[in-house]
Amino acid sequence: MARSFSATCGPDGLLQHLADLRSAVPSPSGGVVFVSGQLAQRASGVAELVRGAWRGVPACVVPAAGVLSERGEIEGDTGASGVLWSGGQVTPFALPERAEEPSRLLGEALTRAVGQRSATAILFARPGAFAPERLEAPALSAPNACLFGAGTASGSAIGVTAQGELIEGPATGLAITGFAPPLVDASTAARLLSGFHRIDDASGGVVLRAGGRPALDLLSAATATLGEPPSAQQLILAALADPPLDPPGAPGAPGAPGAYRGEPRGDAAEAAAPRYVLRPVRGIDPSRRGLLLGDEARPGARLAFAVRDAAVGRAGLEGIARQVSRSALGSAPRFALYLTCAGRGQGLYGTPDVEARILRQRFADLPIAGMHSSFEIAPWARGQARLALYTGVLALFRAPS
């Protein structure tokens, strides 16, 4: 059983919502509360409220740029959303502050929480907590865990243990065992402008050549159809894919259940195009005709270019919601979490509640809670996750029917 809420409210209103959820869910085992605006700035005070209202229930309080539920989205205001559920064993964990090796220590925290068991790890990381490529080690430390999550708006998420202890760090989260792994999928809000090219030469995060051509020339060719110069709405991004391509139909390959998905594509293109994550173009090196993309842009990786696109964002979310719903047939959905980039929402679509309406149309009154995030942690393959941008991550928790 699960219940969700969302409201524009201050501490007093939030306390009432927390109490209402506690009364509605018998024997709760865990919960998440997302807060925005002034509540996000006072996350430690919110954690105190959660500790009192949900006494004995493990939970996590997450500062967000905005919050959402199946009822709608709250952007640019003080508000909260949350979900409380029964079932499974929930263990909050946190990375120590000022950790010298955050990736290794996060992996050790996951190992302590879930070990080799089938589990779910929901991670909320502070911006700058670790480099994008450092997500690989934590995932490999718990190879049977489904790892996903998001970046907080600014400060740290705060875990509340069953004993009432408050824990926090650059990365804080919940480990869930004894509960069916959720169905998790993700989609971007970006349209590919080019095909993928193998990176031939890169140094210090600067891509010099890809596909046998200077990287800057590839970017110029990809953006030629957008006008001169592209508008602010047409944010140009790099799309990076791992080499080599997964064989079609392999676990974690494009189109396979639980795989990370980019923009929606037809069957033929789905088989041909790799999975990818989006990264900003941080700068150019005119003398070498290179692009500064970061350390993930290594020789052998594949590079394309994309533009932020509202229609693709809508279609992508509709697609993963449909796929997750189909995959859940034969089970009983309990609740869902939806973590979406703060660069989507009303700023992308030009109207409020677009993504909340898509979820409500697909899942009706299923309890949903979520946030507008600074980045997303998307499932990539079994035991793997990637930091993503302009992405929506949907996780459906269910029980066998």
Side-chain angles (χ1 to χ4, degrees):
M1 184 175 186
R3 290 287 186 274
S4 65
F5 81 95
S6 65
T8 302
C9 61
D12 292 341
L14 173 59
L15 183 59
Q16 185 60 57
H17 286 291
L18 295 173
D20 290 345
L21 255 65
R22 183 64 182 84
S23 298
V25 179
S27 303
S29 58
V32 182
V33 177
F34 302 99
V35 289
S36 63
Q38 294 183 4
L39 288 177
Q41 298 170 15
R42 304 169 184 171
S44 58
V46 173
E48 295 282 0
L49 295 178
V50 171
R51 175 166 62 178
W54 292 355
R55 190 176 303 277
V57 180
C60 195
V61 174
V62 187
V67 302
L68 60 90
S69 74
E70 73 277 12
R71 302 165 183 82
E73 303 173 45
I74 300 173
E75 300 182 69
D77 205 347
T78 295
S81 73
V83 61
L84 184 68
W85 69 86
S86 59
Q89 294 79 49
V90 179
T91 305
F93 63 89
L95 179 68
E97 200 69 60
R98 295 183 296 276
E100 293 184 0
E101 299 181 66
S103 180
R104 179 180 63 81
L105 292 178
L106 181 56
E108 291 176 356
L110 284 174
T111 299
R112 288 193 299 271
V114 304
Q116 301 297 306
R117 291 176 292 175
S118 176
T120 302
I122 312 171
L123 181 65
F124 300 105
R126 200 166 63 208
F130 42 72
E133 63 272 15
R134 297 299 178 87
L135 268 177
E136 297 179 14
L140 293 174
S141 297
N144 294 314
C146 171
L147 174 64
F148 69 95
T152 67
S154 55
S156 298
I158 302 174
V160 183
T161 71
Q163 295 74 35
E165 180 186 2
L166 302 184
I167 61 173
E168 64 178 293
T172 306
L174 298 176
I176 307 173
T177 56
F179 204 70
L183 298 168
V184 189
D185 213 338
S187 64
T188 72
R191 172 170 51 89
L192 289 175
L193 297 173
S194 72
F196 282 85
H197 304 274
R198 184 186 184 279
I199 296 176
D200 303 315
D201 188 11
S203 175
V206 177
V207 177
L208 301 174
R209 297 184 66 82
R213 299 175 61 187
L216 185 54
D217 291 357
L218 287 176
L219 175 61
S220 298
T223 58
T225 60
L226 296 177
E228 294 289 345
S231 68
Q233 181 72 4
Q234 294 174 315
L235 179 63
I236 307 302
L237 300 156
L240 294 175
D242 290 341
L245 295 181
D246 293 327
Y260 174 81
R261 290 172 169 78
E263 66 171 285
R265 301 181 291 274
D267 291 341
E270 188 78 65
R275 295 165 295 156
Y276 61 86
V277 291
L278 299 171
R279 294 291 181 263
V281 178
R282 301 177 183 176
I284 64 173
D285 185 338
S287 64
R288 296 189 293 173
R289 310 294 292 168
L291 299 173
L292 178 58
L293 302 180
D295 291 339
E296 292 174 285
R298 298 182 289 264
R302 294 170 181 262
L303 170 66
F305 298 98
V307 62
R308 196 173 62 148
D309 189 288
V312 171
R314 288 191 188 92
L317 179 54
E318 289 170 350
I320 65 171
R322 180 172 58 251
Q323 178 61 41
V324 165
S325 178
R326 288 174 178 171
S327 298
L329 292 176
S331 61
R334 293 281 189 86
F335 66 95
L337 295 177
Y338 182 60
L339 315 172
T340 184
C341 182
R344 294 168 64 128
Q346 190 167 353
L348 176 63
Y349 300 114
T351 188
D353 298 335
V354 168
E355 297 190 332
R357 285 199 301 271
I358 290 171
L359 295 174
R360 186 167 58 249
Q361 289 167 359
R362 174 59 57 179
F363 299 108
D365 295 328
L366 181 76
I368 299 174
M371 67 183 287
H372 293 255
S373 51
S374 56
F375 58 85
E376 298 71 56
I377 298 171
W380 193 254
R382 188 175 183 86
Q384 297 183 30
R386 292 288 188 276
L387 187 149
L389 301 175
Y390 300 102
T391 294
V393 179
L394 176 63
L396 178 67
F397 290 78
R398 78 265 192 234
S401 61

